[in-house]
Amino acid sequence: MAISLSPLLFLLLLLLLPSITASPPVPPPEESPPVPPPEASPPSPPPETSPPMPSPPPREQQQQLNNIIDALIGTGDFGGWADLLSSVDPSTLPMTATLFIPSDEAIAAAAAATSTLNPLIFPYHIVPQRLAFSDLQRFTTGSRLPTLLPTMSILITNNTPSNFTVDGSSITHPDLYLASSVSVHGVASILDYSLYGSEASPPPSEVVTVQPTLPPPPPPSVGGETWGHRKSDAACLGTEFPIVISVVCAVIAFKIHRIL
């Protein structure tokens, strides 16, 4: 009986042997946590660029200024003001303008009386619109012309053709230079804004002679402004140039000091 069971036991052992010797199942590998994407670096600031260089003044403006200077020198009476204009950057002047230019004799007389000239007189002698002498004659006595000096305006004190005066100064050289956008008139003396420039302070009564005249001209416009017998808004026009006027006046002051 023991002999007969041996083969069966051997067979049973053979059947059980694979299950006993089989290695335990290998657990699946643990999944590693996902790697977060790298943080995006902030965009680098754009490279600093230097401010653009100011463009040179247009050739037409420079040529216009040269023509005015040549005309003043050619008369022989306005060389001092021509020298002042040679220091001005043409781009600081309005596109259209009327210039009232005092003679060398008037500048010398003013310099002798005050020892120096106020640089603010330069923008006060510029009206930001072209007005030929024929245009000026159409304004009535008492009309005001805005200037590049803020809040100050030139007063027409007499509009008779034979003795046309502004701020009490005669126009001795009407239309001294005339172009499509600029007109220049020579005057006998320096225009004084402290006496005539503000409507709040009335000018000397003996100078203004109000008289009947032709009706005022159709009011030309400058940036929406209308001109006529009423006071033009010089402050509105003048405040467009405050920084420019400061720079120009500084240059003119230096130039006047050299001349004197």
Side-chain angles (χ1 to χ4, degrees):
M1 186 65 179
I3 297 174
S4 60
L5 289 176
S6 297
L8 293 175
L9 182 59
F10 180 74
L11 181 60
L12 182 59
L13 289 174
L14 289 177
L15 294 175
L16 295 175
L17 183 62
S19 61
I20 295 173
T21 59
S23 60
V26 179
E30 294 182 0
E31 294 183 0
S32 58
V35 179
E39 295 183 0
S41 57
S44 57
E48 295 184 359
T49 57
S50 57
M53 297 294 293
S55 57
R59 182 176 303 176
E60 294 78 8
Q61 287 179 285
Q62 183 63 59
Q63 185 59 50
Q64 185 83 273
L65 185 60
N66 292 341
N67 292 342
I68 295 173
I69 293 173
D70 291 342
L72 295 177
I73 295 175
T75 62
D77 298 327
F78 302 95
W81 208 267
D83 194 33
L84 296 179
L85 285 176
S86 64
S87 306
V88 175
D89 181 355
S91 63
T92 63
L93 299 176
M95 295 300 295
T96 60
T98 299
L99 281 69
F100 294 97
I101 308 297
S103 65
D104 293 342
E105 184 178 352
I107 294 176
T114 61
S115 72
T116 183
L117 292 179
N118 183 354
L120 292 179
I121 65 174
F122 182 78
Y124 182 65
H125 284 68
I126 302 177
V127 175
Q129 182 176 352
R130 176 191 180 276
L131 293 171
F133 187 63
S134 59
D135 299 322
L136 291 173
Q137 288 180 299
R138 300 174 66 186
F139 287 92
T140 58
T141 298
S143 298
R144 287 189 172 272
L145 309 176
T147 71
L148 293 189
L149 186 61
T151 74
M152 295 296 169
S153 55
I154 294 173
L155 179 66
I156 296 178
T157 47
N158 193 328
N159 74 335
T160 57
S162 59
N163 186 31
F164 195 98
T165 62
V166 288
D167 283 5
S169 177
S170 299
I171 296 182
T172 57
H173 294 70
D175 296 338
L176 190 153
Y177 175 81
L178 204 58
S180 59
S181 59
V182 177
S183 59
V184 179
H185 309 294
V187 291
S189 60
I190 294 177
L191 308 184
D192 190 347
Y193 66 83
S194 64
L195 289 178
Y196 297 92
S198 176
E199 194 174 18
S201 54
S205 57
E206 66 271 15
V207 177
V208 180
T209 56
V210 180
Q211 55 188 356
T213 57
L214 295 175
S221 62
V222 177
E225 297 292 330
T226 57
W227 296 16
H229 182 73
R230 71 176 183 84
K231 176 181 177 293
S232 298
D233 191 357
C236 181
L237 289 172
T239 49
E240 297 177 5
F241 308 95
I243 299 177
V244 169
I245 289 175
S246 300
V247 175
V248 170
C249 289
V251 174
I252 295 300
F254 176 75
K255 196 76 174 181
I256 290 175
H257 180 74
R258 291 184 59 187
I259 293 175
L260 301 178

